[in-house]
Amino acid sequence: PNIDKFIARVIPDTATMFLELKFGGIDFMGLTPPQYKLQASTDFFNKYFHKFRYPSFGYTYLGFNLLDNRFSDKHVRKAIAYAINKKEIIAGVLLGYGTPCTGPFPPESWAYNSDVKDHEYNPQKALAILENAGWKKGKSGLMEKDGKPFIFTILVNQGNDARLKTAQIIKENLEKIGIEINIKVLEWQALLHEFIDKKRFEAVIMGWALSRDPDIYDIWHSSKTKEGEFNFISYKNEEIDRLLLEGRRSFDFEKRKQIYNKIHEILSEDQPCIFLYVPDALPVLHKRFKGVEKAPIGIWHDFIRWHVPKNKIEWYK
């Protein structure tokens, strides 16, 4: 490699990180959408930094505890999917830097099934599905079943403004169909170990950063529901289990593509979670680094070829 030393700094606050970037304390960071749109468009910034934008290899989702009788009903999950305005979330939270998510693979993945259609925002359809599933609007204005109003809590992790704002928009969306939402913000370790691992939650907003290989056995297989494992929403589907095993046992690319396309189709239909959006990655890098090339997998794939000219006059050409 042409770079002699790599220093990683842990800076929990993105505003502080941005100041460090501007004043030379760091060379690289991923910007938030407001930083990218509002703070990184100055002449100063364009002179000293490369800006990149490309779809990230992951997605954000609203996950349900499928051990809860309400969410074990696929019709309820589909109704909620139709009641959530993903375009509003992408515009309001990501400032347009993202795309709606249709299933467990982002569009950049070779396993992505482009034939799968998203659940478009349609609150009237959502209401009709809920009513067919036995939910009726009560005197309070909330949907009720067996005398119990439809109220649940969404958990989000502290310090993640995008997820908190997403939860707030979902809260407003679901109020329109008679579902009341409470939002609870928790410190990350407490969220994981005291609530997620122990299945003490009703719904949670989280995200998956995925491997380039589309093997998602650990996330979706029914054997992976124990404490500390990734299928913490407790999803169980025999067909998905079978396909996941087939997909990881085959070396035939076309066969695997067909398998994962089918998985994408089934999970989109089943909606074990609401696949919300694929955010854009918004990295910035100091301009003294040369030889940087953006590819579908990002900018770090050829890091060993980056170099810094000794002559500083060449840095900002």
Side-chain angles (χ1 to χ4, degrees), residues 62-65 68 70-71 76 80 84 135 142 149-155 167 170-171 174-175 177-184 201-205 274:
L62 172 64
F64 302 114
N65 185 341
D68 186 309
R70 296 167 297 177
F71 302 124
V76 169
I80 291 173
I84 292 175
W135 292 86
L142 295 178
F150 204 150
I151 302 171
F152 69 95
T153 299
I154 295 177
L155 305 183
I170 291 173
K171 176 182 172 72
L174 296 193
E175 279 176 358
I177 63 164
I179 297 177
E180 182 179 319
I181 284 180
N182 299 309
I183 300 169
K184 190 171 185 177
F201 70 97
E202 294 171 300
V204 61
I205 293 179
I274 310 298

Side-chain angles (χ1 to χ4, degrees), residues 85-104:
N85 191 336
K86 295 182 187 178
K87 290 180 179 176
E88 182 184 2
I89 292 172
I90 290 167
V93 177
L94 303 181
L95 305 185
Y97 299 124
T99 55
C101 183
T102 64

Side-chain angles (χ1 to χ4, degrees), residues 86-87 90 98-103 107 112 118 120 275-278:
K86 295 182 187 178
K87 290 180 179 176
I90 290 167
T99 55
C101 183
T102 64
Y112 178 79
D118 201 8
E120 291 289 339
F275 300 97
L276 294 172
Y277 56 78
V278 177

Side-chain angles (χ1 to χ4, degrees), residues 243 246-247 250 255-263:
L243 290 168
E246 275 191 32
S250 175
K255 183 180 177 184
R256 292 190 81 209
K257 185 169 174 57
Q258 290 174 10
I259 289 168
Y260 291 116
N261 277 188
K262 186 64 177 176
I263 288 173

Side-chain angles (χ1 to χ4, degrees), residues 248-304:
R248 62 178 4 196
R249 288 171 176 166
S250 175
F251 290 95
D252 185 311
F253 177 81
E254 288 304 322
K255 183 180 177 184
R256 292 190 81 209
K257 185 169 174 57
Q258 290 174 10
I259 289 168
Y260 291 116
N261 277 188
K262 186 64 177 176
I263 288 173
H264 190 151
E265 179 187 328
I266 294 171
L267 289 178
S268 177
E269 169 60 26
D270 229 10
Q271 290 291 299
C273 66
I274 310 298
F275 300 97
L276 294 172
Y277 56 78
V278 177
D280 285 348
L282 305 170
V284 292
L285 177 71
H286 197 281
K287 271 194 174 174
R288 72 172 180 274
F289 293 95
K290 307 299 180 183
V292 183
E293 291 186 8
K294 184 177 82 168
I297 136 181
I299 62 172
W300 288 89
H301 62 99
D302 63 348
F303 173 60
I304 60 167

Side-chain angles (χ1 to χ4, degrees), residues 1 33 49 78 85-86 146 169 175 194 231 262 272 301 311:
F49 295 96
K78 287 179 77 72
N85 191 336
K86 295 182 187 178
D146 301 327
I169 291 174
E175 279 176 358
E194 297 303 318
N231 186 359
K262 186 64 177 176
H301 62 99
N311 184 352

